[in-house]
Every structure is written in structure tokens, then in C-alpha cells.
Amino acid sequence: MSSKQIKTLIERHLPEAGLVDTALKGVQLYRVTDAMPCAPAVYEPTVVAIVSGVKEAVLDGERHVYDSSRYMCCPMTMPVEAGAPQASPEDPLIGALIALDGRVMTELSIEIETSTSSIRKPDGAAPQGLTLARWDADFTQALLRLLELLDSPTDAAVLGPGRLRELYYAVLKGEAGGAAKRAFGVGNEIARTIDYLSNRLNEPVTIDEMASQVGMSRAVFHRRFKEATKMSPIQFMKSMKLNNAAMKIAGGMTVNEAALDVGYVSSSQFSREFKRMYGKSPRQWSHTAQIPVGVM
């Protein structure tokens, strides 16, 4: 019953296709009524919950397909391809996107470990870039309680932070909890490296520099990074740069501006690498690309 109530709430606040910010910080609602092929996107740390339709995210060739039975948790910034190839007016994609606040997620992760007297030491296991989790009762109820606040701006302002914390807690206790704790709790070196890199896309960053940031040898860092992201650090950096550039071009930025904005000083190198990844030149892309709604 709760999932139906969630769908009714979202439809009431978003009766037509689009993406809207809400009075709750970091919470967006979306409705997609036209098929949207998977396109380059960058996921920030987020949870995506769907109440109608089917969503796809592709990470390094691996397809993650989810619907109203499973939500998606992305605990780290990741370059992906995302879309809703099956969306239609008769079967729209409807859902909510909830940004994960790193400070609150870290606090909760440590509190959970402290309360069970089992603070986890770094175990060598890497966090997962994307993970799907079952809509269990705790997550469903927490999401419903959060979205019910949308009916009152005052309730949203006063109770919103607490209800978001409740939702985060449900995620950490659910099937996505292991990946989330590795990204936000003790031993979150790879997630911290990705955050460091994401804020320096237009700067030259070496593998040695990234490894030194988290106190690892180059070899250990390379292995753990690939375990977490399915890509080598070099592949990840290139995907992040090109996905960001593709989104900027689709949003109206010129090819040269987008290339410079993500750190390319050679337009010819940018064009070669762009075409190698997407099968189209940047200029061809600018005429055909669509940005996935909400970059979900």
C-alpha cells in the first residue's frame, strides 16, 4: 500500500512530464513520457527510487535495470550511461531522486558501527559504484514519510533533515548498506579519491597523486580502484571528462568550450577520444544528443 501512496504523492506534485526540485533539499521528482536511449551522464552520490516504469544505467558495459521492486544506490560520483528506453505516455517513468549528503551518511555509518561495537577496519574490499537494492519495508516507509512533507513547506523545512536522515539510515540498513558503508564509513579511500578527482576535471591529476592522497602504493591503489569502478584510474578519468563534456554539449555549450572546461588543451585529441567513445564526433553529437532527465 505504501508504494501506491508514494506514487500518488509524486503524481500529485508532478502531473506532467519533467523534472522538479522540491522543498526538500536534494530531493527531485521526475516523470518521463518519451523513450530516452541511454546517453552519457554523471551520477552524483544519490538514491533513485522508481514507482512506475523501468530505468537503465550502464557502467563500463554492465547494464543495471531497475523498477518499482528495486532502487538504485550510487554512493560515489560515477560516469555512466543512463536512460529510459521503454518510457511512453502509457507507461511513463515516474520516480524520485534523493541526493546523499556525505557528512550525514558518514556520521550514520560510524554511529551504526559504534552502536554494534564492531567498527569496521579497512578490509581491502572496495565499494561498488552502483548497486541495486530491494524496496524493503523500512526503505518504503522512510520514503513515504519523507515525501509526505511535500504537502507542507513548513513541515518540509522543519522535519525534512530528520526524515532524510531516516531514509539514509534505511539505505544503510538495507541491501545497499554494504556498498554505502564502504563509500562513507571507515576505509572509504576510493570514494574520497573519486571526490578529489571530480573537483579537478580541468586539472592534470596523476595516478601517483591520487594514490598519495589516500596513502596507498600505486599498485594497490590501481587494483582497488578498478575493483570499485570496473575501470582503471586512467579510464575513469577519461570517462568522467568525456561524459561531462557530452552533457555540456547536449546542454548547448560549444564543442571547444566543453573541451576546455574538462581540461582538454588539444581540440583534435578531444574529438578523437570523443568519437572513439561515443561513435560520433562532438559536432555530430551536438545535433542529436539528449540529456537524460534528471541525469538519473
Side-chain angles (χ1 to χ4, degrees), residues 44-45 57 100 103 105 107 117 136 145 149 152 179 186 188 206 211 214 238 240 246 259 262 264 269-270 275 280 288:
E44 300 294 338
L100 296 175
R103 180 185 60 80
M105 287 292 288
E107 289 176 356
S117 301
D136 57 30
R145 282 169 50 80
L149 298 178
S152 168
V186 178
N188 63 348
T206 67
V214 291
K238 185 178 293 185
M240 282 289 289
V262 297
Y264 277 87
Q269 180 188 2
F270 172 72
K275 187 170 184 178
K280 296 179 180 179
T288 59

Side-chain angles (χ1 to χ4, degrees), residues 86-290:
Q86 300 178 38
S88 67
E90 296 74 31
D91 186 21
L93 178 71
I94 301 173
L97 185 152
I98 302 99
L100 296 175
D101 184 304
R103 180 185 60 80
V104 179
M105 287 292 288
T106 296
E107 289 176 356
L108 283 170
S109 297
I110 294 174
E111 285 179 21
I112 290 170
E113 292 169 346
T114 301
S115 68
T116 58
S117 301
S118 61
I119 294 181
R120 181 175 54 83
K121 297 179 179 179
D123 56 9
Q128 295 171 267
L130 293 178
T131 187
L132 303 183
R134 180 174 51 88
W135 277 60
D136 57 30
D138 287 344
F139 176 83
T140 304
Q141 190 61 32
L143 181 58
L144 175 61
R145 282 169 50 80
L146 177 67
L147 296 182
E148 282 177 335
L149 298 178
L150 296 178
D151 290 330
S152 168
T154 301
D155 289 349
V158 175
L159 301 176
R163 298 280 176 91
L164 275 169
R165 186 180 174 90
E166 182 181 344
L167 182 75
Y168 293 169
Y169 182 72
V171 171
L172 287 164
K173 294 288 285 184
E175 291 180 350
K181 288 172 188 173
R182 287 193 178 97
F184 293 105
V186 178
N188 63 348
E189 294 90 350
I190 300 303
R192 285 191 284 115
T193 301
I194 289 173
D195 185 59
Y196 177 83
L197 174 63
S198 298
N199 291 316
R200 293 166 176 78
L201 287 181
N202 62 347
E203 302 174 16
V205 179
T206 67
I207 296 177
D208 289 334
E209 183 180 348
M210 288 188 285
S212 68
Q213 284 288 321
V214 291
M216 293 183 186
S217 70
R218 181 186 176 99
V220 170
F221 173 76
H222 191 282
R223 174 175 56 80
R224 292 202 58 199
F225 194 97
K226 192 164 186 178
E227 287 173 353
T229 67
K230 311 300 182 185
M231 290 175 269
S232 70
I234 294 297
Q235 289 173 317
F236 184 90
M237 285 190 286
K238 185 178 293 185
S239 293
M240 282 289 289
K241 288 175 179 285
L242 292 176
N243 277 27
N244 270 280
M247 293 168 62
K248 292 174 186 295
I249 293 169
M253 188 176 284
T254 70
V255 172
N256 287 338
E257 287 173 338
L260 288 171
D261 211 45
V262 297
Y264 277 87
V265 295
S266 168
S267 57
S268 59
Q269 180 188 2
F270 172 72
S271 294
R272 284 196 305 272
E273 294 185 355
F274 192 100
K275 187 170 184 178
R276 190 178 300 125
M277 177 166 285
Y278 305 125
K280 296 179 180 179
S281 72
R283 298 195 188 284
Q284 290 172 323
W285 176 265
S286 67
H287 297 305
T288 59
Q290 283 183 297

Side-chain angles (χ1 to χ4, degrees), residues 5-54:
Q5 290 175 282
I6 293 170
K7 183 180 179 182
T8 299
L9 272 168
I10 295 176
E11 288 178 326
R12 186 166 73 245
H13 288 277
L14 186 61
E16 298 179 352
L19 170 75
V20 296
D21 293 320
T22 70
L24 294 163
K25 183 179 178 181
V27 178
Q28 297 175 303
L29 307 179
Y30 58 84
R31 179 194 286 253
V32 180
T33 56
D34 295 317
M36 185 170 290
C38 289
V42 174
Y43 276 2
E44 300 294 338
T46 189
V47 165
V48 180
I50 292 171
V51 294
S52 173
V54 178

